[in-house]
Amino acid sequence: MSRRAVTCHHARVAGASDLHDVADGRVVVLAGPGVIDESAIDGLRSLADAGDLGVANTWGAKGVFAWDSPHHLGTCGLQERDFELLGFADVDTIVVTGLSEDESPRERYALAPTIEVEPVELAAHAGRIRATESVRNELYPRLAAVAQPGYVSTKVPLHPARAVADLGAVLPAGGLVSAEPGIAGLWVARTFPTPALTAGASRRVVVRSRRFAAAAVRDAVVAARSGRAAIFVTAGEPDPATTTELARAAEDGIDLVVVVWGEAGSFRSVDDHAARLRDALATGGVTRLDVPVALEDTDLLVEAAGQVIAWGGLLDPSRGAT
């Protein structure tokens, strides 16, 4: 699809009492983290099932549908061409629900007329909003062309998608992966394998929508304090605030695995990665694992979907495209 100028359309709000408010034709749904926070996942699924709707989710709403669900259009908002490639400019209506302005400002996604539905009212709109015509989704296959070969790559340094897939494979039930916004957060948000969440279930993966010093590691520490297996992932040496937080966690006897992507770390084969992750999870305390990752492979994502726009872009050009 060629790039073209688009207009940001205003939203109208659809309330549960608006019986006349029916949308059909080329309709897509964009869901944000408010759907999870309001435990409205079941309502979203009812809406999608009744209306044969495709649903794109921002990275704060990963898991609203399993990756292989026929309703799942992909995770979006991370790169500049995401909404263009999803075909948003070619639809009749975009239904938005539970969005965070930090993840997806209106001027990025509102490429067609939008209807805003509150998360708690999604179930009430089931059957009123229907997709009767399909829209070509170019984003999902473009990202799959990068991620799927990466998942099975055997190279060392690791393909970032393989590094992320191993995190998902070793994470115990109820565990959490928290990734630092930036290059690690980009790959985790894009490629972490996410089964469908159940209403009220804890998230398996968190990547903050804004950069706050040590916020990502604190998310992991909070999870660990509650008894959850927790993994914190960052690209490059942790910053001073994160290092201080990790020292406190160690003093407090917190069990936390710290995964540092970069050039350090010596692996005999790609299989060493999952084995060492499992060992680190079983060790206890704050355990650091240096993982050699081909961060330059980030350029493949940029070729697929444009420059990274989440968090103001990537900070270090030496770790991939900005």
Side-chain angles (χ1 to χ4, degrees):
M1 181 185 296
S2 61
R3 301 189 199 192
R4 54 196 172 97
V6 293
T7 302
C8 177
H9 293 260
H10 295 292
R12 57 193 178 97
V13 178
S17 61
D18 297 332
L19 296 178
H20 64 282
D21 189 45
V22 177
D24 59 17
R26 295 168 298 176
V27 183
V28 295
V29 180
L30 175 60
V35 170
I36 297 175
D37 294 341
E38 295 289 344
S39 296
I41 296 175
D42 289 344
L44 177 64
R45 291 172 183 159
S46 295
L47 181 81
D49 287 340
D52 195 24
L53 295 163
V55 180
N57 58 266
T58 65
W59 71 94
K62 284 182 73 69
V64 291
F65 286 96
W67 66 271
D68 57 350
S69 166
H71 297 296
H72 181 54
L73 298 180
T75 297
C76 58
L78 293 155
Q79 294 175 247
E80 65 178 350
R81 297 191 65 197
D82 283 6
F83 298 113
E84 169 200 344
L85 293 171
L86 280 166
F88 275 24
D90 300 320
V91 304
D92 298 311
T93 307
I94 304 167
V95 179
V96 299
T97 183
L99 295 189
S100 162
E101 184 73 12
D102 290 333
E103 287 187 340
S104 293
R106 173 167 298 280
E107 62 269 17
R108 292 182 186 163
Y109 69 77
L111 308 184
T114 62
I115 296 175
E116 182 177 351
V117 178
E118 291 296 324
V120 295
E121 295 190 342
L122 286 167
H125 283 278
R128 300 180 192 169
I129 301 173
R130 302 182 299 269
T132 56
E133 297 181 51
S134 62
V135 179
R136 182 175 176 82
N137 174 5
E138 295 186 26
L139 180 65
Y140 197 93
R142 280 172 174 256
L143 297 177
V146 176
Q148 289 178 358
Y151 287 145
V152 297
S153 172
T154 59
K155 72 177 183 178
V156 178
L158 277 63
H159 190 293
R162 176 59 186 264
V164 173
D166 286 349
L167 291 170
V170 304
L171 188 69
L176 175 74
V177 171
S178 176
E180 188 77 46
I183 198 165
L186 172 67
W187 281 100
V188 169
R190 273 290 187 223
T191 64
F192 191 87
T194 309
L197 281 169
T198 57
S202 299
R203 305 183 199 205
R204 283 173 51 86
V205 58
V206 171
V207 182
R208 289 264 183 160
S209 59
R210 298 178 63 185
R211 298 180 190 270
F212 292 107
V217 72
R218 288 193 193 105
D219 289 336
V221 169
V222 169
R225 286 187 189 278
S226 70
R228 301 174 68 186
I231 302 174
F232 167 66
V233 187
T234 187
E237 199 64 28
D239 60 39
T242 297
T243 300
T244 298
E245 194 69 28
L246 289 172
R248 290 173 181 160
E251 291 174 359
D252 293 344
I254 299 296
D255 295 336
L256 175 65
V257 177
V258 180
V259 176
V260 181
W261 288 358
E263 298 179 357
S266 176
F267 286 11
R268 291 170 299 175
S269 74
V270 69
D271 294 331
D272 285 351
H273 181 228
R276 293 190 188 183
L277 283 169
R278 290 189 180 94
D279 288 345
L281 284 166
T283 296
V286 175
T287 305
R288 172 169 170 160
L289 179 62
D290 287 289
V291 180
V293 175
L295 300 179
E296 64 273 13
D297 285 348
T298 304
D299 291 337
L300 299 173
L301 285 182
V302 173
E303 290 173 10
Q307 298 294 330
V308 178
I309 54 177
W311 322 293
L314 303 182
L315 297 179
D316 186 352
S318 69
R319 298 176 185 166
T322 56

